[in-house]
């Protein structure tokens, strides 16, 4: 069986939280070994921490997503540091910059400041960071250059940027993670971009419960259908890293109460492998090794497994 690592998802999302035991069981049975679960605001960090304590497969990430910076408390950075210091297994995320249809409503200078502070914290604690970037790759590159390289590395999650920017991001420590949103990009552009990425920097993710892969045969998709109640706390609330048309599709999916299942990482694997002209087995091995290396900082669950 192929071994896979979902490098970015939101299993704490209230839309799917009550179904997590079943979701994890189904997904691990398909060969997924780890899920990097990303918190997005002060309201869901504790839930992510509790989930990571319950499930060995969950790698916790704590971060303040740009969409939620207006809700932060005066002590947000101290609280974030506390969660990271008390949870050696945790990485930093989801953080980032957004000039998309929703992000444009949030002061961009404030986004940059909050992102910079979290990058500094990641560097200080020697943890990798998972970065959300929508229509702000030039700004992000400028921020990363001014902040300096991130020694533990960082993920550009659901990457939809250009091939031309890949070398500069890679030089600063970037890994490039791909979800179902890649299928919204023109195939020729996606192929050019993928082929520009060093093989040792490619990751796969689902961004579940969002980023449902766009397939010619949707019957083969794993779907999560909403159940009656949800967890306390705040989640991504439908965080969507695509373009406006994908955001609209995401809203339609939310209205239908059908969400992306992390087992769909196999569809992402197949699509990315086909564009790179690799076998699924080759790409699974490459991406799993890359994710395992990135998430093997001191105290990480991945490193503890290796040392067993």
């Amino acid at each position: 069986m192929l071994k896979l690592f979902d490098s970015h998802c939101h299993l704490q999302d209230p839309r799917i939280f009550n179904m997590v035991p079943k979701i994890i069981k189904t997904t691990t049975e398909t060969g997924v070994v780890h899920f990097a679960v990303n918190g997005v605001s002060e309201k869901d960090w504790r839930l992510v921490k509790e989930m990571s304590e319950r499930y060995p497969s969950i790698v916790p990430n704590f971060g303040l997503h740009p969409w939620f910076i207006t809700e932060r408390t005066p002590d947000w950075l101290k609280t974030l540091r506390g969660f990271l210091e008390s949870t050696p297994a945790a990485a930093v995320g989801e953080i980032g910059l957004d000039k998309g249809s929703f992000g444009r409503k949030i002061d961009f200078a404030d986004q940059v400041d909050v992102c910079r502070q979290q990058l500094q914290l990641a560097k200080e604690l020697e943890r990798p960071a998972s970065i959300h970037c929508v229509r702000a790759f030039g700004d992000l590159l400028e921020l990363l250059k001014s902040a300096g390289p991130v020694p533990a590395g960082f993920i550009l999650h659901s990457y939809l940027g250009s091939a031309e920017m890949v070398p500069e991001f890679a030089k600063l420590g970037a890994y490039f993670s791909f979800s179902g949103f890649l299928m919204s990009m023109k195939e020729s552009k996606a192929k050019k971009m993928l082929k520009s990425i060093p093989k040792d920097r490619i990751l796969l993710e689902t961004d579940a419960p969002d980023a449902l892969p766009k397939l010619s045969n949707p019957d083969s998709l794993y779907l999560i259908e909403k159940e009656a109640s949800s967890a306390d706390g705040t989640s991504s609330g439908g965080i969507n890293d695509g373009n406006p048309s994908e955001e609209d599709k995401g809203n339609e999916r939310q209205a239908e109460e059908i969400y992306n299942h992390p087992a769909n990482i196999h569809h992402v694997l197949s699509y990315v492998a086909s564009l790179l002209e690799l076998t699924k087995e080759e790409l699974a091995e490459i991406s799993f090794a890359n994710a395992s290396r990135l998430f093997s900082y001191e105290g990480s669950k991945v490193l503890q497994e290796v040392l067993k």
Side-chain angles (χ1 to χ4, degrees), residues 76-137:
W76 73 272
L77 190 60
K78 182 181 176 184
T79 303
L80 177 56
R81 177 185 288 275
F83 269 94
L84 290 164
E85 289 181 340
S86 66
T87 316
V92 176
E94 179 174 359
I95 68 176
L97 304 177
D98 194 308
K99 285 182 172 178
S101 57
F102 190 86
R104 282 197 301 270
K105 303 170 188 173
I106 299 160
D107 183 80
F108 193 69
D110 202 19
Q111 290 188 43
V112 171
D113 184 52
V114 169
C115 186
R116 184 189 300 277
Q117 291 182 72
Q118 292 181 97
L119 278 172
Q120 186 56 45
L121 188 55
K123 290 168 68 172
E124 186 182 328
L125 298 177
E126 299 181 343
R127 314 278 180 92
S130 192
I131 301 178
H132 162 111
C133 187
V134 174
R135 297 181 180 171
F137 287 105

Side-chain angles (χ1 to χ4, degrees), residues 39 77 108 134 168 261 279 287 304:
L77 190 60
F108 193 69
V134 174
E168 291 197 81
H261 194 295
T279 66
S287 60
Q304 287 166 18

Side-chain angles (χ1 to χ4, degrees), residues 85-298:
E85 289 181 340
S86 66
T87 316
V92 176
E94 179 174 359
I95 68 176
L97 304 177
D98 194 308
K99 285 182 172 178
S101 57
F102 190 86
R104 282 197 301 270
K105 303 170 188 173
I106 299 160
D107 183 80
F108 193 69
D110 202 19
Q111 290 188 43
V112 171
D113 184 52
V114 169
C115 186
R116 184 189 300 277
Q117 291 182 72
Q118 292 181 97
L119 278 172
Q120 186 56 45
L121 188 55
K123 290 168 68 172
E124 186 182 328
L125 298 177
E126 299 181 343
R127 314 278 180 92
S130 192
I131 301 178
H132 162 111
C133 187
V134 174
R135 297 181 180 171
F137 287 105
D139 302 280
L140 179 61
L141 187 59
E142 189 179 315
L143 170 57
L144 287 164
K145 282 180 174 177
S146 68
V150 182
F154 60 93
I155 298 172
L156 293 178
H157 109 84
S158 284
Y159 185 68
L160 293 177
S162 69
E164 289 72 23
M165 299 192 84
V166 165
E168 291 197 81
F169 279 123
K171 204 186 324 181
L172 292 165
Y175 285 70
F176 303 81
S177 187
F178 300 99
S179 70
F181 284 131
L182 185 66
M183 297 173 189
S184 68
M185 182 183 272
K186 188 177 176 184
E187 189 175 307
S188 58
K189 185 180 176 186
K191 187 168 188 173
K192 179 184 176 187
M193 179 262 285
L194 282 167
K195 293 208 164 195
S196 72
I197 296 170
K199 292 285 193 297
D200 64 352
R201 299 297 181 88
I202 293 174
L203 303 175
L204 302 176
E205 64 168 89
T206 60
D207 201 21
D210 294 304
L212 190 68
K214 188 171 138 187
L215 302 182
S216 55
N217 176 21
D219 292 343
S220 62
L221 286 167
Y222 287 83
L223 298 173
I224 304 171
E225 296 189 26
K226 183 174 171 59
E227 291 183 353
S229 57
S230 62
D232 292 333
T234 298
S235 79
S236 60
I239 284 179
N240 188 311
D241 295 306
N243 54 37
S245 63
E246 279 301 303
E247 288 174 10
D248 292 340
K249 289 171 189 171
N251 290 336
E252 286 168 15
R253 289 196 297 271
Q254 189 169 350
E256 293 164 0
E257 300 182 330
I258 293 175
Y259 310 115
N260 187 23
H261 194 295
N264 288 321
I265 195 167
H266 288 274
H267 293 296
V268 179
L269 169 70
S270 297
Y271 186 67
V272 175
S274 70
L275 294 185
L276 285 172
E277 297 164 21
L278 296 171
T279 66
K280 289 190 289 186
E281 291 75 15
E282 286 169 332
L283 182 58
E285 186 176 345
I286 289 167
S287 60
F288 186 83
N290 292 345
S292 297
R293 183 174 63 254
L294 179 66
F295 285 100
S296 285
Y297 40 87
E298 186 178 350

